[in-house]
Coordinates of all heavy atoms in Angstrom, one line a residue:
M263 N -210.4 61.8 33.1 CA -210.4 62.9 34.2 C -209.5 64.0 33.7 O -208.4 63.8 33.3 CB -209.9 62.3 35.4 CG -209.9 63.3 36.6 SD -209.6 62.6 38.2 CE -207.9 62.3 38.2
I264 N -210.1 65.2 33.8 CA -209.3 66.4 33.4 C -208.6 67.0 34.6 O -209.2 67.4 35.5 CB -210.2 67.4 32.7 CG1 -210.9 66.9 31.5 CG2 -209.5 68.7 32.4 CD1 -212.0 67.8 30.9
L265 N -207.3 67.0 34.5 CA -206.5 67.6 35.6 C -206.3 69.1 35.4 O -206.4 69.8 36.4 CB -205.1 66.9 35.7 CG -205.2 65.4 36.1 CD1 -203.7 64.8 36.0 CD2 -205.8 65.2 37.4
L266 N -206.1 69.5 34.2 CA -205.9 70.9 33.9 C -206.9 71.3 32.8 O -207.0 70.6 31.8 CB -204.5 71.2 33.4 CG -203.3 71.0 34.4 CD1 -202.0 71.1 33.7 CD2 -203.4 71.9 35.5
A267 N -207.6 72.3 33.0 CA -208.5 72.8 32.0 C -208.3 74.3 31.9 O -208.5 75.0 32.9 CB -209.9 72.5 32.3
F268 N -207.9 74.8 30.7 CA -207.7 76.2 30.5 C -208.8 76.7 29.6 O -209.3 76.0 28.7 CB -206.3 76.5 29.9 CG -205.1 76.1 30.7 CD1 -204.1 75.3 30.1 CD2 -205.0 76.5 32.0 CE1 -203.1 74.9 30.9 CE2 -203.9 76.1 32.8 CZ -202.9 75.4 32.2
T269 N -209.1 78.0 29.7 CA -209.9 78.6 28.7 C -209.1 78.8 27.5 O -207.9 78.7 27.5 CB -210.5 80.0 29.2 OG1 -209.4 80.9 29.4 CG2 -211.3 79.8 30.5
R270 N -209.8 79.2 26.4 CA -209.1 79.4 25.1 C -208.1 80.6 25.3 O -207.0 80.6 24.7 CB -210.1 79.7 24.0 CG -209.5 79.8 22.7 CD -210.6 79.7 21.6 NE -210.0 79.9 20.3 CZ -209.4 79.0 19.5 NH1 -209.4 77.8 20.0 NH2 -209.0 79.2 18.4
Q271 N -208.6 81.7 26.0 CA -207.7 82.9 26.2 C -206.5 82.5 27.0 O -205.4 83.0 26.6 CB -208.5 84.0 26.9 CG -207.8 85.3 27.0 CD -207.5 85.9 25.7 OE1 -208.2 85.8 24.8 NE2 -206.4 86.6 25.6
T272 N -206.6 81.7 28.0 CA -205.4 81.3 28.8 C -204.5 80.5 27.9 O -203.2 80.7 28.0 CB -205.9 80.5 30.0 OG1 -206.8 81.3 30.8 CG2 -204.7 80.2 30.9
G273 N -205.0 79.6 27.1 CA -204.2 78.8 26.2 C -203.4 79.7 25.2 O -202.3 79.4 25.0
L274 N -204.1 80.7 24.7 CA -203.4 81.7 23.8 C -202.3 82.4 24.5 O -201.2 82.6 23.9 CB -204.4 82.6 23.2 CG -205.4 82.1 22.2 CD1 -206.4 83.1 21.8 CD2 -204.6 81.6 21.0
R275 N -202.5 82.8 25.7 CA -201.5 83.5 26.5 C -200.2 82.6 26.7 O -199.1 83.0 26.6 CB -202.0 84.0 27.8 CG -203.1 85.0 27.7 CD -202.6 86.3 27.2 NE -203.7 87.2 27.1 CZ -203.6 88.4 26.7 NH1 -202.5 88.9 26.4 NH2 -204.7 89.2 26.6
I276 N -200.5 81.4 27.1 CA -199.4 80.4 27.4 C -198.7 80.1 26.1 O -197.5 80.0 26.0 CB -200.0 79.1 28.0 CG1 -200.5 79.4 29.4 CG2 -199.0 78.0 28.0 CD1 -201.2 78.3 30.1
A277 N -199.4 80.0 24.9 CA -198.8 79.8 23.6 C -198.0 81.0 23.2 O -196.8 80.8 22.7 CB -199.8 79.5 22.6
E278 N -198.4 82.2 23.5 CA -197.6 83.4 23.2 C -196.3 83.4 24.0 O -195.3 83.7 23.4 CB -198.4 84.6 23.5 CG -199.5 84.9 22.5 CD -200.4 86.1 23.0 OE1 -200.2 86.6 24.1 OE2 -201.3 86.5 22.2
I279 N -196.4 83.0 25.2 CA -195.1 83.0 26.1 C -194.2 81.9 25.5 O -193.0 82.1 25.5 CB -195.5 82.7 27.5 CG1 -196.2 83.9 28.1 CG2 -194.2 82.4 28.4 CD1 -196.9 83.6 29.5
G280 N -194.8 80.7 25.1 CA -194.0 79.7 24.5 C -193.3 80.1 23.3 O -192.1 79.8 23.1
F281 N -194.0 80.8 22.4 CA -193.4 81.3 21.1 C -192.3 82.4 21.4 O -191.3 82.4 20.7 CB -194.5 81.8 20.2 CG -195.2 80.7 19.5 CD1 -196.6 80.7 19.5 CD2 -194.6 79.8 18.7 CE1 -197.3 79.7 18.9 CE2 -195.2 78.8 18.0 CZ -196.6 78.7 18.1
A282 N -192.6 83.2 22.4 CA -191.6 84.2 22.8 C -190.3 83.6 23.3 O -189.2 84.0 23.0 CB -192.2 85.2 23.8
L283 N -190.4 82.5 24.1 CA -189.2 81.8 24.6 C -188.5 81.1 23.5 O -187.3 81.1 23.5 CB -189.6 80.8 25.7 CG -189.9 81.4 27.1 CD1 -190.4 80.3 28.0 CD2 -188.6 82.0 27.6
T284 N -189.2 80.6 22.5 CA -188.6 80.0 21.3 C -187.8 81.1 20.5 O -186.8 80.8 20.0 CB -189.7 79.3 20.5 OG1 -190.4 78.4 21.3 CG2 -189.0 78.6 19.3
A285 N -188.4 82.2 20.4 CA -187.7 83.4 19.7 C -186.5 83.8 20.5 O -185.4 84.1 19.8 CB -188.6 84.5 19.5
V286 N -186.5 83.8 21.8 CA -185.4 84.1 22.6 C -184.3 83.1 22.4 O -183.1 83.4 22.3 CB -185.7 84.3 24.1 CG1 -184.5 84.3 25.0 CG2 -186.5 85.5 24.3
A287 N -184.7 81.8 22.3 CA -183.7 80.8 22.1 C -183.1 80.9 20.7 O -181.8 80.7 20.6 CB -184.4 79.4 22.2
G288 N -183.8 81.2 19.7 CA -183.3 81.4 18.4 C -182.3 82.6 18.4 O -181.2 82.5 17.8
A289 N -182.6 83.7 19.1 CA -181.7 84.9 19.1 C -180.4 84.5 19.9 O -179.3 84.9 19.5 CB -182.4 86.0 19.8
A290 N -180.6 83.7 20.9 CA -179.4 83.3 21.7 C -178.5 82.4 20.8 O -177.2 82.5 20.9 CB -179.8 82.6 23.0
L291 N -179.1 81.5 20.1 CA -178.3 80.7 19.2 C -177.6 81.5 18.1 O -176.4 81.2 17.8 CB -179.1 79.6 18.5 CG -179.5 78.5 19.5 CD1 -180.6 77.6 18.8 CD2 -178.3 77.7 19.9
V292 N -178.2 82.5 17.5 CA -177.6 83.3 16.5 C -176.5 84.2 17.1 O -175.4 84.2 16.5 CB -178.7 84.3 15.9 CG1 -178.0 85.3 15.0 CG2 -179.6 83.4 15.0
L293 N -176.7 84.7 18.3 CA -175.6 85.5 18.9 C -174.4 84.6 19.3 O -173.3 85.0 19.2 CB -176.2 86.2 20.2 CG -176.9 87.5 19.9 CD1 -177.6 88.0 21.2 CD2 -176.0 88.5 19.4
G294 N -174.7 83.4 19.7 CA -173.6 82.5 20.1 C -172.8 82.1 18.8 O -171.7 81.8 18.9
A295 N -173.5 82.0 17.7 CA -172.8 81.6 16.4 C -172.0 82.8 15.9 O -170.9 82.6 15.3 CB -173.8 81.2 15.4
I296 N -172.5 84.0 16.1 CA -171.8 85.2 15.5 C -170.6 85.6 16.4 O -169.5 85.8 15.8 CB -172.8 86.4 15.4 CG1 -173.8 86.1 14.3 CG2 -172.1 87.7 15.1 CD1 -174.9 87.1 14.2
T297 N -170.8 85.6 17.7 CA -169.7 86.0 18.6 C -169.2 84.8 19.3 O -169.8 83.8 19.4 CB -170.3 87.1 19.6 OG1 -171.2 86.5 20.4 CG2 -170.9 88.3 18.9
T298 N -168.1 85.1 19.9 CA -167.5 84.0 20.8 C -167.7 84.3 22.3 O -167.2 83.6 23.1 CB -166.0 83.9 20.5 OG1 -165.3 85.2 20.8 CG2 -165.7 83.5 19.1
F299 N -168.4 85.4 22.5 CA -168.7 85.8 23.9 C -169.7 84.9 24.6 O -170.8 84.8 24.2 CB -169.2 87.3 23.9 CG -169.6 87.7 25.3 CD1 -168.7 88.0 26.2 CD2 -171.0 87.8 25.6 CE1 -169.1 88.4 27.5 CE2 -171.4 88.2 26.8 CZ -170.4 88.5 27.8
G300 N -169.2 84.2 25.6 CA -170.1 83.3 26.3 C -170.8 82.2 25.5 O -172.0 82.0 25.6
S301 N -170.0 81.6 24.7 CA -170.5 80.6 23.8 C -171.3 79.5 24.5 O -172.4 79.1 24.2 CB -169.5 80.0 22.9 OG -170.0 79.0 22.1
K302 N -170.7 78.9 25.5 CA -171.3 77.8 26.3 C -172.5 78.3 27.1 O -173.5 77.7 27.2 CB -170.3 77.2 27.2 CG -169.3 76.3 26.5 CD -168.3 75.7 27.5 CE -167.3 74.9 26.7 NZ -166.4 74.2 27.6
R303 N -172.4 79.5 27.6 CA -173.5 80.1 28.4 C -174.6 80.4 27.5 O -175.8 80.2 27.8 CB -173.0 81.3 29.1 CG -174.1 81.9 30.0 CD -173.7 83.2 30.7 NE -172.5 82.9 31.5 CZ -171.5 83.8 31.7 NH1 -171.6 85.0 31.2 NH2 -170.5 83.6 32.4
G304 N -174.4 80.9 26.3 CA -175.4 81.3 25.4 C -176.1 80.0 24.9 O -177.4 80.0 24.7
N305 N -175.4 78.9 24.6 CA -176.0 77.7 24.2 C -176.9 77.1 25.4 O -177.9 76.5 25.1 CB -175.0 76.7 23.8 CG -174.4 77.0 22.4 OD1 -175.0 77.8 21.7 ND2 -173.2 76.5 22.2
A306 N -176.4 77.2 26.6 CA -177.2 76.7 27.7 C -178.5 77.5 27.9 O -179.6 76.9 28.1 CB -176.4 76.8 29.0
I307 N -178.4 78.8 27.7 CA -179.6 79.6 27.8 C -180.6 79.4 26.7 O -181.8 79.2 26.9 CB -179.2 81.1 27.8 CG1 -178.5 81.5 29.1 CG2 -180.4 82.0 27.6 CD1 -177.9 82.9 29.2
A308 N -180.0 79.2 25.5 CA -180.9 78.8 24.3 C -181.5 77.5 24.5 O -182.7 77.3 24.2 CB -180.0 78.8 23.1
G309 N -180.8 76.5 25.0 CA -181.4 75.2 25.2 C -182.5 75.2 26.3 O -183.5 74.6 26.1
L310 N -182.3 75.9 27.4 CA -183.3 76.0 28.4 C -184.5 76.8 27.9 O -185.7 76.4 28.2 CB -182.7 76.7 29.6 CG -181.8 75.9 30.5 CD1 -181.1 76.7 31.6 CD2 -182.4 74.7 31.1
A311 N -184.3 77.9 27.2 CA -185.4 78.6 26.7 C -186.2 77.8 25.6 O -187.4 77.8 25.6 CB -185.0 79.9 26.0
L312 N -185.5 77.0 24.8 CA -186.2 76.2 23.8 C -187.0 75.1 24.5 O -188.2 74.8 24.1 CB -185.2 75.6 22.9 CG -185.7 74.9 21.6 CD1 -186.6 75.9 20.8 CD2 -184.6 74.4 20.8
A313 N -186.4 74.5 25.5 CA -187.1 73.4 26.2 C -188.4 74.0 26.9 O -189.5 73.4 26.9 CB -186.2 72.8 27.2
A314 N -188.2 75.1 27.6 CA -189.3 75.7 28.4 C -190.4 76.2 27.4 O -191.6 76.0 27.7 CB -188.8 76.9 29.2
G315 N -190.0 76.8 26.3 CA -191.0 77.2 25.3 C -191.8 76.1 24.7 O -193.0 76.1 24.5
S316 N -191.1 75.0 24.4 CA -191.7 73.8 23.9 C -192.7 73.2 24.8 O -193.8 72.8 24.5 CB -190.7 72.7 23.5 OG -189.8 73.3 22.5
V317 N -192.4 73.1 26.1 CA -193.2 72.5 27.1 C -194.5 73.4 27.2 O -195.6 72.9 27.3 CB -192.5 72.4 28.5 CG1 -193.5 72.1 29.6 CG2 -191.5 71.3 28.4
L318 N -194.3 74.7 27.2 CA -195.5 75.6 27.3 C -196.4 75.5 26.1 O -197.6 75.5 26.2 CB -195.0 77.1 27.5 CG -194.5 77.5 28.8 CD1 -194.0 78.9 28.8 CD2 -195.5 77.3 29.9
L319 N -195.8 75.3 24.9 CA -196.6 75.1 23.7 C -197.4 73.8 23.8 O -198.6 73.7 23.4 CB -195.7 75.1 22.5 CG -195.3 76.5 22.1 CD1 -194.3 76.4 21.0 CD2 -196.4 77.4 21.7
I320 N -196.8 72.7 24.3 CA -197.5 71.4 24.4 C -198.6 71.6 25.4 O -199.7 71.1 25.1 CB -196.5 70.4 24.9 CG1 -195.5 70.0 23.7 CG2 -197.2 69.1 25.3 CD1 -194.3 69.2 24.1
V321 N -198.3 72.2 26.5 CA -199.4 72.4 27.6 C -200.6 73.3 26.9 O -201.7 72.9 27.1 CB -198.9 73.1 28.8 CG1 -199.9 73.6 29.7 CG2 -197.9 72.1 29.5
A322 N -200.2 74.3 26.2 CA -201.3 75.2 25.7 C -202.1 74.5 24.7 O -203.3 74.6 24.7 CB -200.6 76.4 25.1
F323 N -201.5 73.7 23.8 CA -202.3 73.0 22.8 C -203.0 71.8 23.3 O -204.1 71.5 22.8 CB -201.4 72.6 21.6 CG -201.1 73.8 20.7 CD1 -199.9 74.5 20.7 CD2 -202.0 74.2 19.8 CE1 -199.6 75.5 19.9 CE2 -201.8 75.3 19.0 CZ -200.6 76.0 19.0
H324 N -202.5 71.2 24.3 CA -203.1 70.0 24.8 C -204.3 70.3 25.7 O -205.4 69.7 25.5 CB -202.1 69.1 25.5 CG -202.6 67.7 25.9 ND1 -203.9 67.3 25.8 CD2 -202.0 66.7 26.5 CE1 -204.1 66.1 26.3 NE2 -202.9 65.7 26.7
W325 N -204.1 71.1 26.7 CA -205.2 71.3 27.7 C -206.1 72.5 27.4 O -207.0 72.7 28.2 CB -204.5 71.5 29.1 CG -204.2 70.1 29.6 CD1 -205.0 69.2 30.0 CD2 -202.9 69.6 29.9 NE1 -204.3 68.1 30.5 CE2 -203.0 68.3 30.4 CE3 -201.6 70.1 29.7 CZ2 -201.9 67.6 30.8 CZ3 -200.5 69.3 30.0 CH2 -200.7 68.1 30.6
S326 N -205.9 73.3 26.5 CA -206.8 74.4 26.2 C -207.6 74.2 24.9 O -208.5 75.0 24.6 CB -206.0 75.7 26.1 OG -205.3 75.8 24.9
G327 N -207.4 73.2 24.2 CA -208.2 72.9 23.0 C -207.9 73.7 21.8 O -208.7 74.0 21.0
L328 N -206.6 74.2 21.8 CA -206.3 75.1 20.6 C -206.0 74.3 19.4 O -206.2 74.7 18.3 CB -205.0 75.9 20.9 CG -205.2 77.0 21.9 CD1 -203.8 77.7 22.2 CD2 -206.2 78.0 21.5
G329 N -205.6 73.1 19.5 CA -205.2 72.2 18.4 C -206.4 71.6 17.8 O -206.8 71.5 16.8

C-alpha cells in the first residue's frame, strides 16, 4: 500500500530543499570551526539542518521514484 506518492517534479523539489539544508549545515560547521562565536549554537543548528536535510532526501528518493 502506498501511503505517500509524489510526482517526479515534487521529488526533485524536496531533494533540492534537502541538499540546500545539507549545504547550510556544512556552512554552519565551517563557521563554527573558524570562529568561536556561538560554537554550541552553531553545532546545534548544523546538526538539525543535517538531520532535516537527510530526512528530506530519504523521503524524496524513496517515495518519488528518483532512485
